[in-house]
Every structure is written in C-alpha cells, then in structure tokens.
Amino acid sequence: MIISGKVQRLTGDQRPGPGSRLPPVDLSDQEIVVVAGAVQPREFGDPFLPVGHLKAPVISRGRTDALGCFRLMLDSHLSQTSQITIFLVVPGGYYLNRFDGSGSFAKAEIRQAAAAPIVLLDDRNALR
C-alpha cells in the first residue's frame, strides 16, 4: 500500500503583528516517518515529540521530493483498518501539529490514507 502527501509551510505569523514573516525553507529532502497506531504527545497539545519519547514502531520512512511531496510504501501485512501516525522529522525529534480531539496526535486509517493525499503543515518554524 502506498500513501502520499505533501509538506507545506505556512508563511507569515498566524497572529497579527508587524514584520512577522517566517524565513523560506527548502521543503525538498525533508524526512517523514510513519508509525503504527496512536501516539500520545509528551504534553497535551505539544506538536513536538523528542526522539526518546516515540515508543510506537516506525513502519516506513522516506523523504520529500523537490516540491515537498512524498510517497511511502507500507507493508502489505497491515490490515485495512490499521491506524498510522505520520510525522515530520525535525531537529531533535518529530513534529505533527494535528490532534484527534482525544489527546493523541491525529491518526489516519490505512484505507483513508491510500485514498487522499496527506498534508503535513509546519506552522511553527519547526523545519530548519
């Protein structure tokens, strides 16, 4: 099974204020990891997870192309109802600024991930 998506960076500060634009970041060659199941953040609402805090098994990893797009192969032994969590790899850990409303990072169902491209947003200057 293949999942695909794109890394995007929101430009500009998300709050009003003078001179608040983020510097440009090259979205090519950014590392993406896919882990099995649900992942709890270290603290509620914290989009950054340090390396030592990721306990879920990594089931796929890859990099973005020149446009920030990625395509990752998942093992065919995963069931059609398996849940996955997809992170950007950032200095010192993993980043995902989407949550499921129950305290976990946002998950994707395998069947949904195959049908719709996934968008990973960097809205806090996490990529360097």
Side-chain angles (χ1 to χ4, degrees):
M1 176 163 300
I2 295 175
I3 60 169
S4 62
K6 182 175 179 84
V7 174
Q8 293 181 340
R9 181 143 193 224
L10 294 181
T11 57
D13 193 345
Q14 302 307 302
R15 293 180 225 139
S20 56
R21 294 192 59 84
L22 293 173
V25 167
D26 182 6
L27 295 177
S28 65
D29 203 35
Q30 297 292 331
E31 189 175 3
I32 309 295
V33 297
V34 180
V35 299
V39 178
Q40 292 288 108
R42 184 175 53 157
E43 295 178 22
F44 187 80
D46 185 358
F48 178 74
L49 190 66
V51 171
H53 286 80
L54 183 62
K55 305 298 183 209
V58 174
I59 57 174
S60 185
R61 64 176 64 236
R63 295 195 169 274
T64 58
D65 65 13
L67 299 175
C69 297
F70 60 90
R71 288 176 52 90
L72 302 172
M73 179 66 79
L74 299 180
D75 288 335
S76 58
H77 75 275
L78 294 171
S79 75
Q80 288 297 332
T81 59
S82 292
Q83 293 181 337
I84 58 173
T85 306
I86 305 167
F87 289 99
L88 284 166
V89 177
V90 297
Y94 307 94
Y95 181 85
L96 179 60
N97 197 14
R98 288 187 6 235
F99 300 91
D100 67 0
S102 301
S104 293
F105 287 106
K107 302 168 290 295
E109 296 287 335
I110 294 291
R111 63 178 176 268
Q112 293 173 350
I118 296 162
V119 177
L120 298 175
L121 293 176
D122 173 12
D123 61 351
R124 295 192 183 186
N125 201 22
L127 297 172
R128 308 247 183 235

